[in-house]
Amino acid sequence: MAREFSTVGVVGLGTMGAGIAEVFARNGLRVIAVEVDEGSIARGLGHIEHSTDRAVRGGKLDESGKADLLGRISTTTSLSDLADVDFVVEAVPEHLDLKAEVFAELDRVCRPEVILASNTSSLSITEIGVHTGRPGKVVGMHFFNPAPVLKLVEVVKTVVTEPDVVDDVEALAGKIGKEPVVIGDRAGFIANALLFGYLNHAVRMYEQHYASREDLDAAMRLGCGYPMGPLALLDLIGLDTAYEILDTMYHQSRNRLHAPAPLLKQMITAGLLGRKSGRGFYTYDAPDSPTVVPDAQTPSDTDAGASPREVQRVGVVGTGTMATGIVEVFAKAGFDVVVRGRSEQKAKTAIDKVRKSLEKSVVKGRLTEEARDATLARITGAVEFEELADCDLVVEAVAEEIDIKRVVFETLDEVCKPGAVLATTTSSLPVIECAAATSRPGDVIGMHFFNPAQVMKLVEVVQTISTSPEVVATTRAVCAKVRKHPVDCGDRAGFIVNALLFPYLNDAVKMLEAHYAEADDIDTAMKVGCGLPMGPFQLLDVVGLDVALAIERTLYLEFREVGFAPAPLLEHLVTAGRLGRKTGKGFRDYTAA
Ligand SMILES: NC(=O)c1ccc[n+]([C@@H]2O[C@H](COP(=O)([O-])OP(=O)(O)OC[C@H]3O[C@@H](n4cnc5c(N)ncnc54)[C@H](O)[C@@H]3O)[C@@H](O)[C@H]2O)c1
């Protein structure tokens, strides 16, 4: 017979415990919450007040619903008050000794059939369970932050967990509106095992001054559609919690990518724990507040940097997907555009593609017919490079092969007027190679648009060691005019977005290869637990497995980081011709549309 749950104990009312208590109470269960002292109780209840107030403001809860919810939560400082509960979730800080102590006490206090769950993000449920006389009734019930919002719950079973216990916890998760995924006991489970390598990598990039916090975060939000950037997310998670999770993962995996970045330890020691302490990577207007306030690192608009050059006429070299998207972006923003193709036909086809795309916008009511005609009138086709002679900016978007790009840059160097900015939209090749093919490396820069260029707001502005500050300023000013969000980064493989994205995708393939979880569960965990627009296998199939493999190889060759070595499974799929959606088969099989 399945267990009935009407009263649950929640131990710890911090970031997670408060959210978990709210979820249970919201769904009609009574909650007894345990904290260390009255001050911590007040703080925990404050969390719940804030969160339910937000729900009322957002129309998701009414005042009487809020009062009922709060009325179902009682608090105590004594674990012995949990003697009559039907279920317990522990959410105390991420330390094994502390959790062991709490579980030993819960085992003494709670009825023998009661299931004891831990919300740990990374510690071994097996190790926690052995501190009780009922290891078969100890499971992981891992909620995601913020618990009232995110639907994923990882239900973690150990080798001794009793099957009916797993069933009952799954059913309970369903009852409180969550989507459970059942998995084995491995550090980081699914979502954190994949997420934290990425977060740690972002901290390392920030630590190395590779990009600013704002740019790192904007790159992942705008380039990948993530709900939050990595550093803002770490502030939400809590740097101390993140450190413990990484440290545990590292000790289990010995994967250097999980070794916590030294900066994390420094920040924790200085008391910068993220939102909960009012300061982490960002500064907040008060502890526990989500509102970021300016601080010494906030970029100022009045920064008197180099002055930008005047840009009115833009050349685009290439006639492919990216080139035509970029032509449209510039022409729509009022620039005169020359699109250079290898033949008249190619140039004409490119302009036709722009015409079709503009036509679609007219049909959707996003563009007037006059604006369409004016935009098209600003575009001319060209075959001879000489026709780019008087362009103020030339954007190269030809095939992703360095020899081809080098020839383009040599030619641009011969024909373009002095002072023209020469940009490449390469996504993986060194920009300095393009610069070195010219006699004016100071004028060469990377301008990495995302596909589709008309839609995606992000442009990675890649400076080489030679790029002049004026050229950077010009490129940023042009981005603003075409309403793109520029982020500055250095000339390293993967720039920001791909460098952070592809190692994570590779880790997902390795997890699948290790038979820890199925592709569907991994996709669900990342989508539902982290709010990502697509799961890793869905995304890999869209990107193309051959493209992903090429990027992963580039990253591996540049950084020689063992953890970046492409997963053998990915290599095998590519060898077998399973390249994703474009071939109808990748990690999944697709039927022709
Ligand atoms: N922060 C996240 O994003 C996140 C997400 C999922 C899971 N988790 C996990 O949830 C757990 C809690 O993390 P958190 O971020 O909420 O930490 P937190 O520091 O915000 O909260 C922990 C709370 O536990 C209380 N506490 C300490 N000892 C206690 C005891 N003996 N009895 C009762 N209460 C006690 C503390 O006073 C504090 O309020 C950790 O295991 C963590 O790994 C965290």
Side-chain angles (χ1 to χ4, degrees):
M1 263 261 292
R3 292 172 177 81
E4 290 289 326
F5 301 104
S6 60
T7 305
V8 300
V10 174
V11 187
L13 263 192
T15 309
M16 290 308 293
I20 294 169
E22 181 184 331
V23 172
F24 280 120
R26 177 89 186 255
N27 287 281
L29 286 104
R30 284 184 9 87
V31 175
I32 303 178
V34 189
E35 256 295 349
V36 280
D37 51 36
E38 293 299 333
S40 304
I41 289 180
R43 201 176 149 218
L45 291 177
H47 272 306
I48 302 176
E49 276 280 348
H50 274 130
S51 165
T52 47
D53 273 347
R54 265 201 305 275
V56 170
R57 279 199 305 275
K60 294 185 185 130
L61 190 71
D62 58 20
E63 282 294 346
S64 81
K66 177 184 160 188
D68 291 347
L69 185 162
L70 295 176
R72 282 193 282 270
I73 302 175
S74 56
T75 55
T76 171
T77 52
S78 168
L79 278 178
S80 55
D81 287 332
L82 300 186
D84 292 323
V85 299
D86 308 311
F87 179 76
V88 181
V89 183
E90 161 279 315
V92 304
E94 190 77 343
H95 297 295
L96 184 60
D97 292 349
L98 176 62
K99 297 206 189 257
E101 215 176 277
V102 168
F103 271 76
E105 183 61 17
L106 287 172
D107 189 39
R108 273 190 290 278
V109 169
C110 297
R111 298 191 312 272
E113 72 278 12
V114 167
I115 299 170
L116 307 179
S118 173
N119 180 51
T120 179
S121 310
S122 60
L123 297 172
S124 158
I125 301 296
T126 315
E127 278 188 58
I128 294 173
V130 294
H131 294 276
T132 72
R134 62 179 97 183
K137 294 188 178 57
V138 174
V139 287
M141 188 174 192
H142 183 222
F143 289 80
F144 286 76
N145 191 1
V149 178
L150 291 176
K151 291 214 170 299
L152 183 72
V153 168
E154 289 173 326
V155 177
V156 186
K157 60 178 183 189
T158 71
V159 285
V160 295
T161 310
E162 295 156 16
D164 64 303
V165 167
V166 176
D167 294 345
D168 289 352
V169 175
E170 255 193 292
L172 176 62
K175 187 173 158 188
I176 58 171
K178 299 294 179 195
E179 264 186 57
V181 171
V182 179
I183 38 166
D185 190 15
R186 200 176 93 167
F189 314 127
I190 297 179
N192 284 350
L194 296 180
L195 181 70
F196 274 76
Y198 147 72
L199 295 177
N200 201 33
H201 191 179
V203 178
R204 285 186 192 276
M205 281 182 160
Y206 176 68
E207 193 171 44
Q208 292 161 1
H209 300 275
Y210 179 66
S212 69
R213 60 185 184 184
E214 283 83 1
D215 281 357
L216 279 165
D217 281 349
M220 296 314 281
R221 275 190 289 109
L222 303 175
C224 296
Y226 285 10
M228 292 178 97
L231 302 180
L233 178 56
L234 278 163
D235 274 358
L236 174 70
I237 291 170
L239 270 50
D240 49 343
T241 303
Y243 182 91
E244 294 303 331
I245 293 171
L246 280 165
D247 200 44
T248 311
M249 280 171 46
Y250 174 71
H251 280 97
Q252 203 174 96
S253 65
R254 296 290 161 185
N255 179 345
R256 280 178 3 112
L257 301 178
H258 298 155
L263 179 65
L264 282 174
K265 187 74 172 184
Q266 291 160 30
M267 292 177 72
I268 295 164
T269 310
L272 312 183
L273 305 183
R275 283 192 195 181
K276 59 183 158 190
S277 67
R279 203 171 143 199
F281 288 100
Y282 295 89
T283 304
Y284 300 85
D285 64 352
D288 291 320
S289 163
T291 312
V292 173
V293 292
D295 59 18
Q297 284 183 58
T298 306
S300 91
D301 295 337
T302 54
D303 239 355
S307 5
R309 298 176 189 165
E310 198 50 43
V311 176
Q312 179 48 42
R313 196 171 166 77
V314 177
V316 175
V317 184
T319 50
T321 313
M322 288 313 288
T324 49
I326 293 168
V327 169
E328 182 178 332
V329 165
F330 278 107
K332 251 194 201 155
F335 291 91
D336 298 322
V337 184
V338 186
V339 50
R340 185 267 164 191
R342 277 174 292 167
S343 66
E344 261 177 43
Q345 187 52 44
K346 279 192 192 287
K348 184 177 169 307
T349 312
I351 298 175
D352 283 344
K353 265 203 247 168
V354 176
R355 181 175 297 116
K356 262 197 203 141
S357 165
L358 292 172
E359 199 52 56
K360 265 195 210 154
S361 305
V362 171
V363 171
K364 284 187 186 148
R366 293 202 194 116
L367 194 72
T368 63
E369 292 188 2
E370 297 74 56
R372 173 201 60 197
D373 296 342
T375 303
L376 283 168
R378 284 191 281 269
I379 307 173
T380 47
V383 176
E384 300 308 325
F385 271 97
E386 280 72 17
E387 295 188 51
L388 304 174
D390 56 352
C391 286
D392 306 303
L393 162 70
V394 179
V395 182
E396 165 278 313
V398 303
E400 190 73 349
E401 277 181 43
I402 196 60
D403 292 339
I404 300 179
K405 291 200 191 278
R406 234 191 253 126
V407 172
V408 169
F409 275 84
E410 273 167 22
T411 317
L412 290 174
D413 189 28
E414 281 163 22
V415 303
C416 291
K417 67 178 182 187
V421 172
L422 308 180
T424 169
T425 114
T426 180
S427 42
S428 59
L429 299 168
V431 177
I432 192 69
E433 294 241 23
C434 300
T438 72
S439 62
R440 41 176 131 177
D443 290 336
V444 178
I445 193 161
M447 215 177 166
H448 183 215
F449 284 85
F450 287 71
N451 190 12
Q454 300 92 320
V455 179
M456 302 294 283
K457 284 263 158 270
L458 185 70
V459 174
E460 286 176 325
V461 175
V462 186
Q463 326 177 20
T464 72
I465 46 168
S466 309
T467 311
S468 86
E470 245 177 75
V471 167
V472 177
T474 308
T475 309
R476 292 186 62 96
V478 164
C479 285
K481 277 203 191 134
V482 298
R483 294 215 235 115
K484 297 290 174 198
H485 187 116
V487 295
D488 289 327
C489 62
D491 188 18
R492 279 178 10 184
F495 309 136
I496 297 177
V497 174
N498 285 350
L500 286 174
L501 179 66
F502 281 88
Y504 141 72
L505 294 175
N506 196 36
D507 282 349
V509 180
K510 288 183 186 163
M511 182 178 273
L512 182 69
E513 199 170 58
H515 298 286
Y516 176 65
E518 300 294 330
D520 286 353
D521 282 346
I522 298 175
D523 275 352
T524 303
M526 299 318 286
K527 260 197 311 198
V528 183
C530 305
L532 307 189
M534 281 189 207
F537 299 106
Q538 232 183 328
L539 182 58
L540 280 162
D541 276 354
V542 170
V543 169
L545 272 46
D546 51 341
V547 175
L549 181 60
I551 295 176
E552 288 177 10
R553 281 193 179 136
T554 308
L555 287 170
Y556 177 60
L557 287 175
E558 175 128 327
F559 298 105
R560 306 287 165 157
E561 186 63 67
V562 182
F564 290 174
L569 175 60
L570 185 66
E571 309 226 13
H572 291 181
L573 288 167
V574 172
T575 307
R578 296 185 68 115
L579 307 184
R581 283 187 177 245
K582 59 187 166 189
T583 59
K585 283 181 196 307
F587 283 98
R588 298 195 173 90
D589 290 353
Y590 301 88
T591 46

